[in-house]
Each structure stands twice: as C-alpha cells, then as structure tokens.
C-alpha cells in the first residue's frame, strides 16, 4: 500500500508481508526476496495508479497473473519484457467478473463465517459529507467510503 496506516489491517486480513511502497523503493525486488527469487503467483492491484499496476505486474513470476481492480487510466509497460516474455497475464476485473446471483450470496456466507469482513473495509457517510469522505479516503482513514443518499 501507499499508506502505512493501512498495513496493520492488511496483516489482520491475511497479508503475510505488507509493504509500503513509499518506504520500500524497489517493491519487485522486495517481493522476489520474499519468494525465493520467483515473485508472486497472483497480484491484485486496487490503487487506480498506472505506476502501481506496473509494479504489481513486474512483481508476478513467469506465468503469474496480475488483476487490476482499481479504475486505472493510463499504464505504460514494455510488452515483451514485462508481459509476453514471461507469459504473464494482465486482466481487468469489474464488479468481481462474476454472476452476482451466485457471487453475492457466497460473499455473504464468507462474511457470516468471518472470512470476508467487508464491514471493516467500508465507512458510511451522509452525502452532505462527501468532501470528508474523499479526505478520509486519501488520508488512509478508510479503505472504501460509501455515500448514503437519504
């Protein structure tokens, strides 16, 4: 993550080695060091930052998969060196790329089992507090701000 404040929550939710990319200058090298030089099998990028997506892609091992969840505008990669040469997959994910009638009940079941604590990832704001919601998101106080319109 870019924000140190989010790393403890990432660890609580299952991350084994959370890294702050503002403190670790070479994330792909750090990931390779943690994975015996290979890189990770899967990376999920939720930042919406092209630079972060590229870092995620570089951090996956050959035949690895990088999924882009955040609405990323521009991304520049060297296709041969960073994608094709290692037979990596880079794909976009919209709303889970799922069948909602199946996926949403499964997510709710995971929540009931304590395996998907989405309530810890969201904070609700009245629509009138939209500026505070944006500020809290940018400051790392909340992972996902949800606006309520009465």
């Amino acid at each position: 993550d870019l924000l140190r404040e989010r790393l403890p929550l990432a660890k609580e939710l299952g991350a084994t080695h959370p890294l702050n990319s503002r403190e670790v200058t070479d994330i792909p090298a750090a990931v390779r060091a943690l994975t015996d030089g290979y890189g990770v099998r899967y990376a999920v990028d939720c930042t919406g930052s092209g630079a972060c997506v590229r870092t995620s892609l570089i951090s996956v091992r050959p035949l690895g998969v990088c999924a882009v969840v955040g609405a990323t505008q521009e991304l520049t990669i060297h296709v041969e060196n960073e994608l094709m040469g290692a037979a990596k997959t880079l794909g976009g994910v919209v709303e889970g790329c799922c069948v909602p009638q199946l996926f949403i009940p499964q997510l709710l079941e995971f929540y009931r089992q304590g395996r998907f604590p989405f309530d810890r990832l969201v904070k609700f704001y009245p629509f009138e507090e939209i500026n505070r919601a944006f500020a809290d998101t940018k400051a790392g106080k909340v992972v996902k701000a949800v606006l309520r319109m009465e």
Side-chain angles (χ1 to χ4, degrees), residues 45-60:
D45 192 282
C46 305
T47 65
S49 161
C52 290
V53 171
R54 183 172 180 261
T55 297
S56 296
L57 178 63
I58 294 169
S59 297
V60 299

Side-chain angles (χ1 to χ4, degrees), residues 37-48:
Y38 294 108
V40 294
R41 288 183 179 96
Y42 304 98
V44 178
D45 192 282
C46 305
T47 65

Side-chain angles (χ1 to χ4, degrees), residues 1-42:
D1 205 309
L2 298 168
L3 302 171
R4 177 185 297 154
E5 297 79 13
R6 291 188 181 172
L7 298 181
L9 177 60
K11 194 148 179 118
E12 285 178 44
L13 298 177
T16 57
H17 298 85
L19 301 172
N20 182 326
S21 60
R22 290 190 176 148
E23 296 171 357
V24 178
T25 56
D26 190 345
I27 294 290
V31 169
R32 284 190 300 276
L34 292 167
T35 57
D36 296 325
Y38 294 108
V40 294
R41 288 183 179 96
Y42 304 98

